[in-house]
C-alpha cells in the first residue's frame, strides 16, 4: 500500500505595520494593536494546528480548521513560535512541525502574518515530519 506524504507549503509573510501607533506602552498593548496570524487551509484535509512557544515553553493555542477554511490567532506580546499540525482525511492522518517564526507586538509595531497549508500526495514539503506522540506533546 502506498503511503501519502504530507506536503505543507508555508507561505509566511510577517509584515510589520510601519504605521502602527507609538502611543501605547510595551506592557499595555491596545486590543486594536495586537499581532495576528491567519491560518488558511487550502486542502481537503481537516487540520488541527497547535501554536507552540519555542524553547520548551509549551502550548500557546490550538485551532481546528475545516477543509478550505481559515483560522485566526492574536498575540499580545513579542515572541517566537512554531506550529505542530495534524492533517486528517478519512483514515489517513499526517503530522508536521514547522520552523520557528517571530511575532512582534510592542511599541515599535505589530506583526500580521498568514500561513497557507496545502496538503497533497507526493514527496517533499516544507517542515519536519513528526510522530503522533510528538504531536500530542505540548512542549
Amino acid at each position: 500500500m502506498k503511503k501519502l506524504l504530507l506536503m505543507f507549503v508555508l507561505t509566511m509573510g510577517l509584515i510589520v505595520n510601519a504605521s502602527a501607533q507609538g502611543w501605547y506602552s510595551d506592557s499595555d498593548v491596545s486590543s486594536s494593536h495586537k499581532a495576528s496570524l491567519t491560518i488558511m487551509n487550502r486542502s481537503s484535509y481537516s487540520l488541527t494546528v497547535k501554536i507552540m512557544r519555542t524553547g520548551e515553553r509549551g502550548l500557546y493555542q490550538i485551532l481546528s480548521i475545516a477543509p478550505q477554511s481559515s483560522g485566526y490567532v492574536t498575540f499580545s506580546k513579542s515572541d517566537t513560535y512554531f506550529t505542530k499540525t495534524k492533517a486528517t482525511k478519512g483514515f489517513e492522518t499526517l503530522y508536521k512541525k514547522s520552523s520557528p517564526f517571530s511575532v512582534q507586538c510592542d511599541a515599535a509595531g505589530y506583526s500580521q502574518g498568514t500561513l497557507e497549508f496545502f496538503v497533497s500526495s507526493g514527496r517533499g514539503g516544507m517542515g519536519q515530519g513528526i510522530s503522533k506522540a510528538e504531536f500530542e506533546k505540548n512542549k
Side-chain angles (χ1 to χ4, degrees):
M1 178 178 191
K2 216 174 177 186
K3 282 192 172 183
L4 296 178
L5 296 176
L6 174 65
M7 182 168 74
F8 288 117
V9 178
L10 303 177
T11 303
M12 183 61 162
L14 290 180
I15 304 163
V16 177
N17 187 339
S19 64
Q21 299 294 317
W23 50 266
Y24 55 91
S25 71
D26 289 345
S27 61
D28 184 30
V29 176
S30 168
S31 62
S32 65
H33 293 96
K34 288 187 177 182
S36 65
L37 177 64
T38 301
I39 301 173
M40 303 174 84
N41 181 1
R42 301 282 190 206
S43 74
S44 58
Y45 288 72
S46 295
L47 299 181
T48 301
V49 181
K50 290 184 174 183
I51 310 295
M52 308 292 294
R53 293 179 185 96
T54 57
E56 298 289 321
R57 291 178 294 133
L59 179 66
Y60 178 75
Q61 189 170 342
I62 299 175
L63 292 165
S64 295
I65 306 172
Q68 304 300 325
S69 297
S70 61
Y72 188 77
V73 180
T74 59
F75 304 90
S76 58
K77 294 183 182 178
S78 297
D79 209 340
T80 305
Y81 301 87
F82 65 95
T83 62
K84 289 184 181 181
T85 305
K86 175 172 75 171
T88 307
K89 182 178 177 183
F91 295 106
E92 182 179 25
T93 304
L94 307 163
Y95 301 91
K96 282 282 188 172
K97 176 181 172 181
S98 76
S99 298
F101 59 92
S102 295
V103 171
Q104 180 181 351
C105 188
D106 55 27
Y110 55 95
S111 301
Q112 293 180 323
T114 301
L115 285 175
E116 291 187 36
F117 289 91
F118 298 86
V119 184
S120 65
S121 62
R123 296 203 169 271
M126 295 180 71
Q128 170 188 0
I130 58 173
S131 67
K132 178 182 178 181
E134 176 61 28
F135 177 81
E136 296 297 329
K137 291 179 190 174
N138 286 332
K139 288 193 177 195

